[in-house]
Amino acid sequence: MTADPVHQVLHPASWKAAKGYANGVVAEGRTVYLGGQIGWTVDQVFEAHDLAGQTRQTLQNIVDIVAEAGGRPEHIVKMTWYVTSKTEYLANLREIGEAYRSVMGKHYPAMAMVQVVALMEDAAKVEIEATAVLPR
C-alpha cells in the first residue's frame, strides 16, 4: 500500500509500477456514483471531434459533477472508460495523457478501459463512468 493525500492506493511491492492508473484504492466516506459522461459541453454540443479533446471535456464533466457534491478530482476512486477505437486511443496516448493531467492532475484512480462498437451519441468517441468517495 502507498499513501495518497485522500485515499490509500493499493499496489503490492513486488508488482511492476502501474502507469496512469491504480490497481486498487481503499476509501472511506460519502460515495458519489456518476453515470457515463461523454465529451460534449454543458449545452450538449461536441466542440472537440478528436479523442484527446473529447477526453478532456469528458473528464471536465466528471470533475464538475463531483464538485457539485463537494468533491475534487482526488476524491475519484474508480473510472471505467469506454472507447470506440483502441487503435485511435493507442495512437494518441501522449495527447490523451496531457488532457488527463490538465483536468485530473497526477491523480490516478483504479481504472478499466473497454473498446465498444459504438456509444449512444454517434459523435462520441469516449464515455467514462466514475465513482468518487468524499471525506465525511
Side-chain angles (χ1 to χ4, degrees), residues 41-78:
T41 66
V42 298
D43 295 318
Q44 298 182 349
V45 173
F46 287 95
E47 291 180 351
H49 299 283
D50 63 300
L51 183 55
Q54 285 195 18
T55 297
R56 182 185 315 274
Q57 183 64 56
T58 301
L59 293 167
Q60 188 60 58
N61 295 344
I62 288 168
V63 167
D64 290 350
I65 295 168
V66 170
E68 190 71 16
R72 299 184 307 273
E74 61 267 27
H75 295 130
I76 297 169
V77 297
K78 172 93 173 80

Side-chain angles (χ1 to χ4, degrees), residues 53-117:
Q54 285 195 18
T55 297
R56 182 185 315 274
Q57 183 64 56
T58 301
L59 293 167
Q60 188 60 58
N61 295 344
I62 288 168
V63 167
D64 290 350
I65 295 168
V66 170
E68 190 71 16
R72 299 184 307 273
E74 61 267 27
H75 295 130
I76 297 169
V77 297
K78 172 93 173 80
M79 290 180 162
T80 302
W81 295 49
Y82 303 92
V83 296
T84 57
S85 173
K86 174 184 171 182
T87 304
E88 186 176 2
Y89 175 80
L90 292 174
N92 292 281
L93 283 175
R94 186 178 60 77
E95 294 85 358
I96 292 167
E98 289 171 2
Y100 182 94
R101 289 184 299 279
S102 75
V103 178
M104 298 290 294
K106 291 191 177 188
H107 170 66
Y108 303 103
M111 289 192 234
M113 182 171 294
V114 179
Q115 177 179 291
V116 295
V117 172

Side-chain angles (χ1 to χ4, degrees), residues 17-37:
K19 293 183 180 181
Y21 66 94
N23 287 298
V25 177
V26 175
E28 204 173 305
R30 294 184 316 128
T31 306
V32 179
Y33 300 96
L34 282 72
Q37 299 300 306

Side-chain angles (χ1 to χ4, degrees), residues 118-134:
L119 296 167
M120 293 307 294
E121 290 296 326
D122 290 336
K125 293 178 175 275
V126 60
E127 182 169 336
I128 304 174
E129 292 179 321
T131 304
V133 179
L134 285 53

Side-chain angles (χ1 to χ4, degrees), residues 1-4 7-14 24-27:
M1 260 190 294
T2 59
D4 184 64
H7 306 297
Q8 286 183 308
V9 175
L10 303 175
H11 187 81
S14 62
V25 177
V26 175

